[in-house]
Amino acid sequence: MSQFSESDFGANDYSTARPDYPPNFYDFLSRYHSGYNSQLVDVGCGPGTATFQLVKWLPEFSKITGTDLSPPMISKASELATRASKTSQQEDSQGKQIEFHVSSSTDFSFLQGKSCDMITAAECAHWFDFNAFQSAAAETLSAHGTIAIWGYIDSVLERYPDTDALMLDLQYGDDKLGPYWDQPGRDILRGLLQDRHLDPTLYERIQESHVVARELTSAATQDFPLRITKEMPLSRYLAYLKTCSAYHAWKKDPQNRDSPDPCDELIATIQKMHPELKDLNYKVRVLWSSFYKVGTRRA
Ligand SMILES: C[S@@+](CC[C@H](N)C(=O)[O-])C[C@H]1O[C@@H](n2cnc3c(N)ncnc32)[C@H](O)[C@@H]1O
């Protein structure tokens, strides 16, 4: 987790190479939510990945605030908000207030004692003290407010199942990125937070669900609202692989100064297996495993 707070962490690359969450999921959230629509707080917002999408897809909220422990992430998010406000894209969110604060997932003091109506945590709750977070969220949410936690992990290339084992080896191999993940966060996310549960004494209408990437091609998962897939040139996929915190830590380890880059090596191996991929502009569809948990604060 600490990698995200380092000033040389690539917040810029992170914001362009990571997948968007599907509009379907925001539609699901909007239909699920039964509380007021004044204030939404997106914790662990990074460069605003979900925050800006929430502005667009949940237009019923009048104010949206992103918070994150990492100052570089918050400065990137603030820069993007300023840039967006100068472009016509911002017409989508006219009249909407967006702001960003450096703050931990349990610190809502920037609300100055006011409550909020939805708290979201995208691709970050595996770093939190889960129970401290859900308790602080329950204390901060207004009656019938929504807590929504979601995330994704372990991508595969849709048309190339013979590369799945290589992907896993890059992420978890002892001689690759395996030792460089901050733990236990990575293992918790790898388990799609299946051992973390919303507390039924704090929340009602709890829904918790997940899907494994390869299952996304089966008809049985077509109704799952958080189907995270993206078509991109192979070069962009390589950039995505390099946004992970373990790669950042691997790069900084002096032991690896003369070692071949494990992400570049993986792509070179895949290119040998599938000659069409020699063209880095060749488009591949990437699928991710994902999960979500939603609950409504008990009144
Ligand atoms: C993988 S990024 C996710 C960013 C964004 N929400 C998204 O959907 O891509 C995880 C973020 O969680 C932040 N983070 C980790 N622990 C945190 C904590 N205890 N409180 C607030 N933010 C935290 C990190 O700084 C990082 O920006």
Side-chain angles (χ1 to χ4, degrees):
M1 194 284 300
S2 53
Q3 300 296 328
F4 291 118
S5 293
E6 292 180 3
S7 57
D8 60 346
F9 186 81
N12 218 4
D13 294 339
Y14 185 98
S15 68
T16 53
R18 290 275 172 148
D20 290 342
Y21 305 113
N24 260 3
F25 183 66
Y26 293 114
D27 186 43
F28 161 80
L29 269 189
S30 181
R31 281 185 285 108
Y32 175 85
H33 180 60
S34 62
Y36 300 107
N37 298 318
S38 309
Q39 164 89 59
L40 184 155
V41 177
D42 181 35
V43 304
C45 68
T49 318
T51 326
F52 294 113
Q53 294 166 23
L54 287 158
V55 169
K56 178 171 181 184
W57 297 109
L58 272 71
E60 58 272 31
F61 280 90
S62 40
K63 181 167 182 186
I64 298 197
T65 304
T67 67
D68 199 288
L69 263 188
S70 154
M73 287 293 192
I74 288 299
S75 78
K76 182 69 201 170
S78 303
E79 180 197 318
L80 291 173
T82 308
R83 204 184 302 161
S85 71
K86 291 181 184 154
T87 70
S88 55
Q89 282 173 355
Q90 191 66 3
E91 278 164 18
D92 286 334
S93 56
Q94 263 179 358
K96 201 68 59 75
Q97 276 180 279
I98 314 175
E99 56 184 43
F100 292 96
H101 294 287
V102 175
S103 203
S104 88
S105 59
T106 49
D107 180 4
F108 294 92
S109 56
F110 59 88
L111 291 172
Q112 300 182 317
K114 292 199 188 117
S115 60
C116 69
D117 308 312
M118 187 181 288
I119 295 177
T120 56
E123 191 66 352
C124 52
H126 51 289
W127 300 121
F128 303 168
D129 175 335
F130 191 86
N131 284 335
F133 166 59
Q134 66 168 321
S135 297
E139 275 170 29
T140 307
L141 283 167
S142 51
H144 308 296
T146 297
I147 185 169
I149 297 166
W150 69 92
Y152 62 91
I153 192 170
D154 289 345
S155 58
V156 296
L157 301 179
E158 182 175 34
R159 287 184 42 221
Y160 303 102
D162 58 349
T163 64
D164 290 5
L166 293 170
M167 302 289 182
L168 283 179
D169 182 53
L170 170 71
Q171 302 291 330
Y172 304 111
D174 286 341
D175 57 342
K176 306 269 172 31
L177 303 182
Y180 292 95
W181 292 107
D182 274 332
Q183 294 291 10
R186 184 64 181 188
D187 283 348
I188 294 169
L189 182 60
R190 204 177 168 191
L192 297 170
L193 275 73
Q194 293 309 292
D195 55 354
R196 303 286 190 276
H197 296 288
L198 288 175
D199 179 349
T201 67
L202 301 175
Y203 300 100
E204 56 191 357
R205 297 172 63 226
I206 292 171
Q207 294 183 31
E208 301 188 331
S209 192
H210 70 278
V211 73
V212 172
R214 279 272 161 231
E215 290 170 3
L216 285 169
T217 51
S218 110
T221 64
Q222 296 311 303
D223 291 338
F224 184 75
L226 187 61
R227 299 170 55 78
I228 305 188
T229 79
K230 188 168 180 169
E231 192 175 67
M232 59 177 99
L234 189 61
S235 57
R236 176 69 63 84
Y237 184 61
L238 176 59
Y240 159 75
L241 291 173
K242 291 186 176 183
T243 62
C244 72
S245 58
Y247 177 72
H248 182 74
W250 181 92
K251 280 286 264 192
K252 291 188 88 170
D253 184 344
Q255 273 191 158
N256 297 325
R257 199 171 298 134
D258 300 320
S259 310
D261 183 300
C263 296
D264 292 339
E265 263 196 326
L266 169 76
I267 297 297
T269 308
I270 290 175
Q271 286 175 320
K272 276 189 205 133
M273 293 163 71
H274 298 283
E276 70 275 23
L277 297 178
K278 290 214 167 96
D279 176 4
L280 277 176
N281 292 320
Y282 192 87
K283 289 207 171 142
V284 289
R285 179 160 288 280
V286 185
L287 314 174
W288 283 267
S289 300
S290 63
F291 76 92
Y292 68 86
K293 298 174 190 289
V294 289
T296 298
R297 204 209 100 175
R298 286 189 177 278

